Amino acid sequence: MSTINNTEYYRRRLDEARTRADSALLPEVRRVHREMAERYSIMLQDAERGRPAPPVLGIVPRD
């Protein structure tokens, strides 16, 4: 996947995660989608800088 495709993909996923967080009725669901948006934001920034994004699998609690 090229850098341009990565940025487009991460930007689209970031927007989706934000939209889902804004429309979620349950606080837990809102939190999960906000966390996903944060991760996509980081991956988007890395892709925009030309850095490969490491794969992130699943939602892992931050303890």
Side-chain angles (χ1 to χ4, degrees):
M1 189 180 282
S2 73
T3 302
I4 293 171
N5 289 341
N6 281 344
T7 58
E8 292 170 4
Y9 174 79
Y10 294 136
R11 188 172 288 113
R12 187 173 65 249
R13 295 303 304 234
L14 172 59
D15 291 341
E16 289 174 9
R18 285 178 176 161
T19 299
R20 289 175 189 248
D22 291 343
S23 64
L25 299 176
L26 297 173
E28 299 84 13
V29 174
R30 225 178 354 262
R31 180 185 56 78
V32 167
H33 285 291
R34 284 184 182 148
E35 287 180 13
M36 290 170 63
E38 287 177 31
R39 293 175 187 194
Y40 278 119
S41 177
I42 292 166
M43 289 187 276
L44 173 60
Q45 290 171 8
D46 287 344
E48 288 173 336
R49 293 181 181 119
R51 295 184 206 151
V56 178
L57 304 175
I59 299 296
V60 180
R62 297 182 196 173
D63 293 323

